[in-house]
Amino acid sequence: MVKAVVLGAAGGIGQPLSLLLKTNPSITELSLYDIVNTPGVAADLSHIDTPAKVAGYLPPDDGLKKALTGADIVIIPAGVPRKPGMTRDDLFKINAGIVRDLAKGIAEAAPKAFVLVISNPVNSTVPIVAEVFKKAGVFDPKKIFGVTTLDVVRASTFVSEVLGDLSLAPKVTVPVVGGHSGVTIVPLLSQSSHPLPSGFSQESLDKLINRIQFGGDEVVKAKDGAGSATLSMAYAGAEFAYKIIRAAKGEKGIVAPTFVNLAADKEGGDALKKEIGRDLDYFSAPVELGTEGVAKINSLGKITEHEASLIKAAVPELATNIEKGVSFIESSKL
């Protein structure tokens, strides 16, 4: 029995994410929460012939608590989307408060659930969830994840495009480390399962890296004010959720990059801090998943000088983003 909960289920990411979760036969109960429209979304999804029993909740009558009670996995895409000209920082002011209040609900009603944070800016919202859990006395670093899977999905797609064969996309794996915004996104293309063509120029490499880092902007621009990367994000969120569920059921050897608190695996986390040259509390690295969540934080492995310089550029920005999330909770009245 697996109960999955989507907080922000009526939004641009929440609806397609909920649809994808409903199609997963491992999920037996799907609970949807948002400030509007969830009963309708739930009714619609409930007609699909898959095992999950679907229910939708709104804020009145303890809706958040009812949605979360008994949850095994909670996915948070709640928040406002990025609009043209809006930085991830502009988003912070709005989404930080939303994520804080949802985290309080999870800490009270489902403190042992796996929590997957999609709400941007992930580099700050993951620390917000963690700090709320710490204040509630229920923090387990192994169970809180920032979903960076869209960066990994984009890297796979864009590399397969470079190779001229999109049929390779599902097989191409590129570790993407660091964080989940702009320069903090560091694709380790030298470790791609499918190497880039010989003679691939530095200029072409820089363009590819930039496209992976700023792929979200490509979508925001193309949607022309009508939203951000919602469908691809829903796909990425569902893919990561499936990995968490499979690992929780005992499947071994599942490794995925995700933005985690490095205390989740002290040995691996300390080794990673040495590699990046900074005592950060959070970083996205390839993580081996297990029944309790984070089983092992893997090292970056062999990287090029260029990749090392990208990590060096990412670290100060990451440190600022993390501190912003922590400070937000310190200044909040919980």
Side-chain angles (χ1 to χ4, degrees):
M1 305 289 282
V2 176
K3 177 173 177 176
V5 182
V6 180
L7 303 181
I13 297 169
Q15 288 201 41
L17 173 61
S18 300
L19 170 62
L20 289 166
L21 295 172
K22 173 67 173 130
T23 65
N24 186 328
S26 298
I27 295 170
T28 48
E29 196 176 340
L30 182 58
S31 192
L32 311 180
Y33 175 85
D34 211 323
I35 54 172
V36 291
N37 300 339
T38 29
V41 175
D44 195 355
L45 290 177
S46 72
H47 293 187
I48 294 171
D49 58 349
T50 55
K53 184 181 177 187
V54 190
Y57 299 90
L58 295 167
D61 304 321
D62 260 347
L64 181 58
K65 186 179 180 184
K66 285 175 184 167
L68 287 166
T69 301
D72 298 296
I73 180 168
V74 180
I75 309 161
I76 314 178
V80 298
R82 205 149 56 107
K83 295 185 173 71
M86 200 183 201
T87 64
R88 286 182 190 265
D89 200 47
D90 296 332
L91 275 188
F92 176 79
K93 295 178 181 69
I94 304 163
N95 288 352
I98 294 170
V99 171
R100 173 197 61 207
D101 295 345
L102 293 173
K104 279 165 68 179
I106 303 166
E108 287 163 20
K112 295 198 180 314
F114 300 109
V115 181
L116 281 55
V117 183
I118 289 172
S119 309
N120 274 319
V122 165
N123 297 352
S124 302
T125 52
V126 171
I128 285 172
V129 174
E131 292 302 311
V132 170
F133 275 47
K134 284 177 191 175
K135 289 204 169 190
V138 295
F139 176 60
D140 179 353
K142 292 180 183 298
K143 293 202 162 181
I144 299 173
F145 303 87
V147 180
T148 61
T149 313
L150 182 50
D151 307 323
V152 180
V153 165
R154 283 185 175 132
S156 299
T157 303
F158 301 163
V159 166
S160 69
E161 284 177 0
V162 166
L163 297 172
D165 184 359
L166 265 175
S167 72
L168 291 172
K171 302 182 198 84
V172 172
T173 54
V174 178
V176 183
V177 302
H180 182 57
S181 68
V183 298
T184 70
I185 297 168
V186 181
L188 302 180
L189 289 159
S190 67
Q191 296 179 21
S192 173
S193 59
H194 295 62
L196 293 165
S198 57
F200 196 66
S201 70
Q202 185 60 47
E203 186 189 356
S204 299
L205 182 65
D206 289 341
K207 277 185 180 163
L208 177 58
I209 290 166
N210 186 268
R211 192 177 177 210
I212 294 165
Q213 291 178 324
F214 296 96
D217 294 352
E218 196 175 301
V219 178
V220 167
K221 191 176 171 191
K223 286 195 175 181
D224 198 19
S228 58
T230 51
L231 301 172
S232 50
M233 184 62 247
Y235 168 80
E239 285 294 299
F240 186 68
Y242 300 163
K243 287 185 166 80
I244 292 282
I245 291 167
R246 282 163 43 208
K249 285 173 174 268
E251 189 177 324
K252 302 276 191 224
I254 299 173
V255 176
T258 172
F259 189 70
V260 293
N261 186 299
L262 298 183
D265 167 22
K266 189 171 186 317
E267 191 181 336
D270 286 350
L272 187 63
K273 288 176 188 181
K274 285 199 179 103
E275 280 186 295
I276 62 177
R278 181 97 173 240
D279 188 14
L280 293 178
D281 287 335
Y282 297 85
F283 200 81
S284 184
V287 169
E288 186 174 335
L289 303 172
T291 53
E292 298 302 309
V294 175
K296 184 171 185 286
I297 297 171
N298 290 339
S299 72
L300 299 178
K302 191 179 174 200
I303 60 173
T304 65
E305 272 183 43
H306 184 55
E307 288 162 351
S309 72
L310 292 173
I311 288 167
K312 195 175 178 185
V315 165
E317 173 102 357
L318 260 178
T320 304
N321 296 163
I322 293 163
E323 178 50 37
K324 198 170 193 177
V326 173
S327 298
F328 179 77
I329 295 304
E330 284 173 353
S331 63
S332 287
K333 289 185 175 66
L334 284 183

